[in-house]
Amino acid sequence: MTHGGGRALDRTADLAVLEAVERRLLWLSTAIVDHANRVRPNPSGLKVGGHQASSASMTSIMTALWFHALTARDRVSVKPHASPVLHAINYLLGELDESRLTTLRAFGGLQSYPSRTKDPDPVDYSTGSVGIGATAPLWGALARRYVEGHFGGAGTGRQYSLLGDAELDEGAVWEAVQDPMVQGLGEAVWIVDLNRQSLDRVVPGIAADRLQGMFAAAGWQVITLKYGRLLEELFTRPGGEALRARIDSMGNPEYQRLLRCSADELRDRLPGTGSTAGPVAGLIASLDDSSLLAALRNLGGHDIGALTEAFDSVDDACPTVIFAYTVKGHGLPTQGHPQNHSSLLTADQMSALADRLGTDLDHPWQAFAPGSPEAALCAAASARLHRPAHVPQEPPAIPADLGRPAPTGTGNTQQALGRVLLDLTRRAPGAASRIVTVSPDVSSSTNLGGWLNKVGVWSPTERPDWFADDSETLLHWQERPTGQHVELGIAETNLVGVLGELGATWSRWGQPLLPIGVVYDPFVNRALEPWSFGIYAGGQSILVGTPSGVTLAPEGGAHQSITTPSLGIEQPGCVTYEPAFAVDTEWCLLAALGNLGRPDGSSAYLRLSTRPVDQSLAAVPGDPAARERRRRQVTAGAYRMRRHDKPVVTIAAMGAVMTEALAAADRLAALGHQADVVCVTSPDLLFRALQARRGLADSPSWILDQVFPADRATPLVTVLDGHPHTLAFLGTIRNTPVTTLGVTAFGQSGSIEDVYRHHGIDTSGVVAAALDLID
């Protein structure tokens, strides 16, 4: 044990004080939910909600963790439904004002689930989306190691996850557990609240042994806390082994039903039938009613002594999982009931609970009396857990333009990604040193090979590259602590989980990183929820989806993304770009990097393509002032590529189909119809500008007047390789007629020409749409 965490216990005196704190936390967490639902005025009558039973099952675990085991270096992700316990702990530690205890789920008050960015008290990890909060500390551990190894200041410390057993149903959990990168993260400790209940029911066969075996097979230390000291002592008496066998063989629903029994009913039901019935009946006949009821509920997850011993026994050489058996609603009248998930105690039940726990329903927020052992324990824990504030370091300066000559020849936007990263190592090494790329086994196929060869692959320890002397090996896999690329297994949820935590280092340790994750665009949907949650939690990163759309024609429908352009617009805290040309990609990527690692920063999503495009079509101005004007327009959302004296229609295109838009304008001109052409680089920024012009957002709106001026308003054709509603709002800028072209059906294999024709986004499709509007 190398953690050096909590102090050694005086087993009798200290346990008694910890148990007194546990009882107060049970009361406070229950009262926080009670006040929100039963006391606070609620004119609308809308259910407020809260989870008294789920909080009660975690109270013992969180008491032992915060008031014994934790250090200031540690971080904890709290089970979403146990947020009232976290707020109660912060209140006793002096980190939350009493007035806040009445604001659970109120506007501007305590959030439904722990939130790093919205709660007023310390929260290490935002949770709420099942499975994501559980895995976040794994990636937090990786991010801490990365920062400490490259820049220092992140120190050491354990990363705890408090999760419900039902969260182990989530595939994201097992994708993270089995990732090879996780096996070396010995600071990771998961504590599973094994209460064997879900929202709807008692889970009949949760198969804890199987779960434990799965963790062990993945290289984790497994600790099981099944029974507390009262039951363990009973097991040593005559008939004790029979009692253990009876409970061990009992199904979850039967055990939960016994929790609802009186002592008399328990004496009748607990012995069961068969050879163990007689010894069990004889054993429990020697117990008084209160001892019998207490013993049945004495599971390991509610035994403070067993919990503290388990925390002290964690081996930091590998990840650890602690299976703590608990009772949902422990200590409440609703304990063990199959429908107690969202149940609320009545006024009479709250009054009785206050009497039993030694508190006052009329004055529910009483802290411990000054000078009491409990107050002293809270003060000592507060001092031990105090964290010095990290002064955020300014993120590195990002050049707006790398100054490359206007590109010629054929290229694609995916290639531009790798080129920009390499250019930064030469032209802005300070910025390049803060970049860390992440990929789920698609580095070479997304043009990151040159970058990897330059900066190396991150690994906690240096590993030999056995192919370094192989002349036919073009991608050199140099794994070392100084590397700047993190390679994960094929799991997009892991990728964006790492991105979120790498993107939060500026706020955790004052060290800004510039994380860029690269994934095949069709699989952005798979990664969207955890990435969105990472943004909500304050993680700022860049997600690159490439290749994209039906432009990936030969691959067929399974690998052709459709909805991702509009998803980028709809994602809060994120700016979406889809450049058409290499130089546009450079400018958009640099702008996105410049928004990372700062309190007012944001994430970005770049949708790139492998389609070869004649780069001279970009017609980048040679004059420095004109070039800068183009760059500003590109990074603001759009620019004009064709401008005629008397246009009768405007074609607004985005991304890979810009070639078809320009060809359509040429054909229309041959027919005597002048068409302006607009290249959209960020529908997201254009929509924000439109909202700002209406007074609904705080964003610049000048780009609308430059690219869509009122005196040039004409009917509009929009076209992109994605769902057409992405650009449909452009018609509202000047209230012009609009026809939207795009992809609304699953793709097909074939050539680009065939596939574009199939979806109506080929040159002829654009010409036909324009003619319909003109006529």
mmCIF file of all heavy atoms in Angstrom, residues 300-326:
data_model
loop_
_atom_site.group_PDB
_atom_site.id
_atom_site.type_symbol
_atom_site.label_atom_id
_atom_site.label_comp_id
_atom_site.label_asym_id
_atom_site.label_seq_id
_atom_site.Cartn_x
_atom_site.Cartn_y
_atom_site.Cartn_z
ATOM 1 N N GLY A 300 -21.445 -5.761 4.349
ATOM 2 C CA GLY A 300 -20.120 -5.142 4.385
ATOM 3 C C GLY A 300 -20.106 -3.686 3.979
ATOM 4 O O GLY A 300 -19.284 -2.903 4.467
ATOM 5 N N GLY A 301 -20.990 -3.312 3.048
ATOM 6 C CA GLY A 301 -21.022 -1.934 2.580
ATOM 7 C C GLY A 301 -21.593 -0.949 3.577
ATOM 8 O O GLY A 301 -21.609 0.262 3.321
ATOM 9 N N HIS A 302 -22.096 -1.457 4.738
ATOM 10 C CA HIS A 302 -22.585 -0.575 5.796
ATOM 11 C C HIS A 302 -21.784 -0.745 7.086
ATOM 12 O O HIS A 302 -22.176 -0.202 8.122
ATOM 13 C CB HIS A 302 -24.069 -0.866 6.073
ATOM 14 C CG HIS A 302 -24.951 -0.607 4.896
ATOM 15 N ND1 HIS A 302 -25.024 0.625 4.293
ATOM 16 C CD2 HIS A 302 -25.770 -1.418 4.190
ATOM 17 C CE1 HIS A 302 -25.866 0.562 3.268
ATOM 18 N NE2 HIS A 302 -26.322 -0.665 3.180
ATOM 19 N N ASP A 303 -20.696 -1.446 7.008
ATOM 20 C CA ASP A 303 -19.851 -1.660 8.176
ATOM 21 C C ASP A 303 -18.628 -0.741 8.057
ATOM 22 O O ASP A 303 -17.725 -0.981 7.262
ATOM 23 C CB ASP A 303 -19.423 -3.130 8.262
ATOM 24 C CG ASP A 303 -18.766 -3.475 9.577
ATOM 25 O OD1 ASP A 303 -17.780 -2.811 9.942
ATOM 26 O OD2 ASP A 303 -19.243 -4.408 10.254
ATOM 27 N N ILE A 304 -18.615 0.320 8.851
ATOM 28 C CA ILE A 304 -17.554 1.321 8.738
ATOM 29 C C ILE A 304 -16.181 0.685 8.965
ATOM 30 O O ILE A 304 -15.213 1.001 8.257
ATOM 31 C CB ILE A 304 -17.785 2.460 9.745
ATOM 32 C CG1 ILE A 304 -19.084 3.217 9.410
ATOM 33 C CG2 ILE A 304 -16.600 3.431 9.735
ATOM 34 C CD1 ILE A 304 -19.035 3.994 8.132
ATOM 35 N N GLY A 305 -16.099 -0.219 9.926
ATOM 36 C CA GLY A 305 -14.815 -0.861 10.182
ATOM 37 C C GLY A 305 -14.332 -1.663 9.001
ATOM 38 O O GLY A 305 -13.159 -1.595 8.613
ATOM 39 N N ALA A 306 -15.229 -2.437 8.382
ATOM 40 C CA ALA A 306 -14.841 -3.238 7.218
ATOM 41 C C ALA A 306 -14.452 -2.344 6.045
ATOM 42 O O ALA A 306 -13.500 -2.638 5.300
ATOM 43 C CB ALA A 306 -15.989 -4.166 6.816
ATOM 44 N N LEU A 307 -15.173 -1.243 5.884
ATOM 45 C CA LEU A 307 -14.868 -0.327 4.782
ATOM 46 C C LEU A 307 -13.494 0.320 4.955
ATOM 47 O O LEU A 307 -12.712 0.392 4.004
ATOM 48 C CB LEU A 307 -15.951 0.746 4.691
ATOM 49 C CG LEU A 307 -17.307 0.282 4.127
ATOM 50 C CD1 LEU A 307 -18.405 1.274 4.475
ATOM 51 C CD2 LEU A 307 -17.217 0.101 2.612
ATOM 52 N N THR A 308 -13.208 0.808 6.151
ATOM 53 C CA THR A 308 -11.909 1.455 6.351
ATOM 54 C C THR A 308 -10.766 0.462 6.157
ATOM 55 O O THR A 308 -9.729 0.803 5.583
ATOM 56 C CB THR A 308 -11.834 2.085 7.746
ATOM 57 O OG1 THR A 308 -12.110 1.094 8.753
ATOM 58 C CG2 THR A 308 -12.826 3.231 7.881
ATOM 59 N N GLU A 309 -10.962 -0.771 6.609
ATOM 60 C CA GLU A 309 -9.922 -1.787 6.403
ATOM 61 C C GLU A 309 -9.735 -2.071 4.915
ATOM 62 O O GLU A 309 -8.609 -2.254 4.446
ATOM 63 C CB GLU A 309 -10.291 -3.060 7.147
ATOM 64 C CG GLU A 309 -10.182 -2.942 8.663
ATOM 65 C CD GLU A 309 -10.704 -4.177 9.375
ATOM 66 O OE1 GLU A 309 -11.154 -5.115 8.678
ATOM 67 O OE2 GLU A 309 -10.664 -4.203 10.620
ATOM 68 N N ALA A 310 -10.821 -2.106 4.165
ATOM 69 C CA ALA A 310 -10.714 -2.352 2.725
ATOM 70 C C ALA A 310 -9.967 -1.222 2.035
ATOM 71 O O ALA A 310 -9.094 -1.463 1.188
ATOM 72 C CB ALA A 310 -12.106 -2.513 2.127
ATOM 73 N N PHE A 311 -10.293 0.029 2.373
ATOM 74 C CA PHE A 311 -9.602 1.156 1.750
ATOM 75 C C PHE A 311 -8.112 1.125 2.081
ATOM 76 O O PHE A 311 -7.274 1.465 1.245
ATOM 77 C CB PHE A 311 -10.216 2.474 2.216
ATOM 78 C CG PHE A 311 -11.656 2.669 1.785
ATOM 79 C CD1 PHE A 311 -12.519 3.458 2.534
ATOM 80 C CD2 PHE A 311 -12.154 2.061 0.647
ATOM 81 C CE1 PHE A 311 -13.837 3.643 2.155
ATOM 82 C CE2 PHE A 311 -13.469 2.229 0.249
ATOM 83 C CZ PHE A 311 -14.315 3.019 1.010
ATOM 84 N N ASP A 312 -7.776 0.709 3.313
ATOM 85 C CA ASP A 312 -6.372 0.668 3.708
ATOM 86 C C ASP A 312 -5.615 -0.464 3.032
ATOM 87 O O ASP A 312 -4.383 -0.447 2.979
ATOM 88 C CB ASP A 312 -6.257 0.505 5.230
ATOM 89 C CG ASP A 312 -6.730 1.734 5.994
ATOM 90 O OD1 ASP A 312 -6.853 2.806 5.369
ATOM 91 O OD2 ASP A 312 -6.999 1.621 7.213
ATOM 92 N N SER A 313 -6.336 -1.471 2.517
ATOM 93 C CA SER A 313 -5.674 -2.638 1.931
ATOM 94 C C SER A 313 -5.493 -2.542 0.428
ATOM 95 O O SER A 313 -4.950 -3.472 -0.184
ATOM 96 C CB SER A 313 -6.486 -3.901 2.255
ATOM 97 O OG SER A 313 -7.722 -3.902 1.550
ATOM 98 N N VAL A 314 -5.931 -1.449 -0.181
ATOM 99 C CA VAL A 314 -5.831 -1.320 -1.636
ATOM 100 C C VAL A 314 -4.366 -1.325 -2.062
ATOM 101 O O VAL A 314 -3.535 -0.607 -1.491
ATOM 102 C CB VAL A 314 -6.534 -0.033 -2.111
ATOM 103 C CG1 VAL A 314 -6.211 0.246 -3.581
ATOM 104 C CG2 VAL A 314 -8.034 -0.148 -1.913
ATOM 105 N N ASP A 315 -4.057 -2.110 -3.062
ATOM 106 C CA ASP A 315 -2.714 -2.196 -3.630
ATOM 107 C C ASP A 315 -2.656 -1.299 -4.863
ATOM 108 O O ASP A 315 -3.363 -1.537 -5.843
ATOM 109 C CB ASP A 315 -2.405 -3.643 -3.999
ATOM 110 C CG ASP A 315 -0.997 -3.829 -4.554
ATOM 111 O OD1 ASP A 315 -0.276 -2.817 -4.702
ATOM 112 O OD2 ASP A 315 -0.635 -4.972 -4.857
ATOM 113 N N ASP A 316 -1.809 -0.285 -4.823
ATOM 114 C CA ASP A 316 -1.747 0.677 -5.919
ATOM 115 C C ASP A 316 -0.993 0.152 -7.138
ATOM 116 O O ASP A 316 -0.776 0.905 -8.091
ATOM 117 C CB ASP A 316 -1.093 1.979 -5.446
ATOM 118 C CG ASP A 316 -1.969 2.735 -4.461
ATOM 119 O OD1 ASP A 316 -3.188 2.518 -4.492
ATOM 120 O OD2 ASP A 316 -1.440 3.530 -3.663
ATOM 121 N N ALA A 317 -0.621 -1.106 -7.133
ATOM 122 C CA ALA A 317 0.112 -1.647 -8.278
ATOM 123 C C ALA A 317 -0.787 -1.933 -9.463
ATOM 124 O O ALA A 317 -0.303 -2.084 -10.582
ATOM 125 C CB ALA A 317 0.849 -2.923 -7.862
ATOM 126 N N CYS A 318 -2.094 -2.013 -9.234
ATOM 127 C CA CYS A 318 -3.036 -2.290 -10.318
ATOM 128 C C CYS A 318 -4.373 -1.661 -9.957
ATOM 129 O O CYS A 318 -4.611 -1.315 -8.799
ATOM 130 C CB CYS A 318 -3.192 -3.794 -10.537
ATOM 131 S SG CYS A 318 -3.855 -4.674 -9.101
ATOM 132 N N PRO A 319 -5.275 -1.505 -10.921
ATOM 133 C CA PRO A 319 -6.601 -0.978 -10.586
ATOM 134 C C PRO A 319 -7.314 -1.897 -9.600
ATOM 135 O O PRO A 319 -7.083 -3.105 -9.581
ATOM 136 C CB PRO A 319 -7.327 -0.932 -11.939
ATOM 137 C CG PRO A 319 -6.261 -1.023 -12.972
ATOM 138 C CD PRO A 319 -5.139 -1.801 -12.364
ATOM 139 N N THR A 320 -8.178 -1.308 -8.805
ATOM 140 C CA THR A 320 -8.889 -2.067 -7.773
ATOM 141 C C THR A 320 -10.386 -1.847 -7.906
ATOM 142 O O THR A 320 -10.835 -0.732 -8.176
ATOM 143 C CB THR A 320 -8.439 -1.619 -6.369
ATOM 144 O OG1 THR A 320 -7.049 -1.905 -6.198
ATOM 145 C CG2 THR A 320 -9.236 -2.329 -5.284
ATOM 146 N N VAL A 321 -11.155 -2.906 -7.684
ATOM 147 C CA VAL A 321 -12.599 -2.787 -7.576
ATOM 148 C C VAL A 321 -13.022 -3.395 -6.246
ATOM 149 O O VAL A 321 -12.567 -4.478 -5.872
ATOM 150 C CB VAL A 321 -13.340 -3.467 -8.759
ATOM 151 C CG1 VAL A 321 -13.022 -4.945 -8.841
ATOM 152 C CG2 VAL A 321 -14.843 -3.241 -8.646
ATOM 153 N N ILE A 322 -13.844 -2.651 -5.513
ATOM 154 C CA ILE A 322 -14.372 -3.118 -4.234
ATOM 155 C C ILE A 322 -15.868 -3.343 -4.404
ATOM 156 O O ILE A 322 -16.609 -2.400 -4.704
ATOM 157 C CB ILE A 322 -14.111 -2.095 -3.116
ATOM 158 C CG1 ILE A 322 -12.608 -1.860 -2.939
ATOM 159 C CG2 ILE A 322 -14.738 -2.560 -1.801
ATOM 160 C CD1 ILE A 322 -12.273 -0.739 -1.962
ATOM 161 N N PHE A 323 -16.313 -4.575 -4.250
ATOM 162 C CA PHE A 323 -17.735 -4.887 -4.293
ATOM 163 C C PHE A 323 -18.276 -4.801 -2.869
ATOM 164 O O PHE A 323 -17.979 -5.661 -2.030
ATOM 165 C CB PHE A 323 -17.978 -6.278 -4.881
ATOM 166 C CG PHE A 323 -17.793 -6.341 -6.363
ATOM 167 C CD1 PHE A 323 -16.572 -6.678 -6.915
ATOM 168 C CD2 PHE A 323 -18.852 -6.053 -7.218
ATOM 169 C CE1 PHE A 323 -16.397 -6.733 -8.294
ATOM 170 C CE2 PHE A 323 -18.694 -6.098 -8.598
ATOM 171 C CZ PHE A 323 -17.466 -6.436 -9.133
ATOM 172 N N ALA A 324 -19.023 -3.739 -2.600
ATOM 173 C CA ALA A 324 -19.553 -3.505 -1.268
ATOM 174 C C ALA A 324 -21.045 -3.828 -1.268
ATOM 175 O O ALA A 324 -21.851 -3.101 -1.862
ATOM 176 C CB ALA A 324 -19.323 -2.059 -0.850
ATOM 177 N N TYR A 325 -21.417 -4.918 -0.624
ATOM 178 C CA TYR A 325 -22.826 -5.300 -0.530
ATOM 179 C C TYR A 325 -23.566 -4.302 0.362
ATOM 180 O O TYR A 325 -23.115 -3.997 1.470
ATOM 181 C CB TYR A 325 -22.959 -6.704 0.043
ATOM 182 C CG TYR A 325 -22.692 -7.812 -0.945
ATOM 183 C CD1 TYR A 325 -21.404 -8.091 -1.389
ATOM 184 C CD2 TYR A 325 -23.733 -8.593 -1.437
ATOM 185 C CE1 TYR A 325 -21.159 -9.110 -2.294
ATOM 186 C CE2 TYR A 325 -23.506 -9.623 -2.352
ATOM 187 C CZ TYR A 325 -22.221 -9.869 -2.771
ATOM 188 O OH TYR A 325 -21.976 -10.891 -3.670
ATOM 189 N N THR A 326 -24.679 -3.811 -0.124
ATOM 190 C CA THR A 326 -25.441 -2.804 0.602
ATOM 191 C C THR A 326 -26.932 -3.108 0.513
ATOM 192 O O THR A 326 -27.368 -3.980 -0.240
ATOM 193 C CB THR A 326 -25.193 -1.396 0.021
ATOM 194 O OG1 THR A 326 -25.631 -1.382 -1.347
ATOM 195 C CG2 THR A 326 -23.726 -0.997 0.109
#
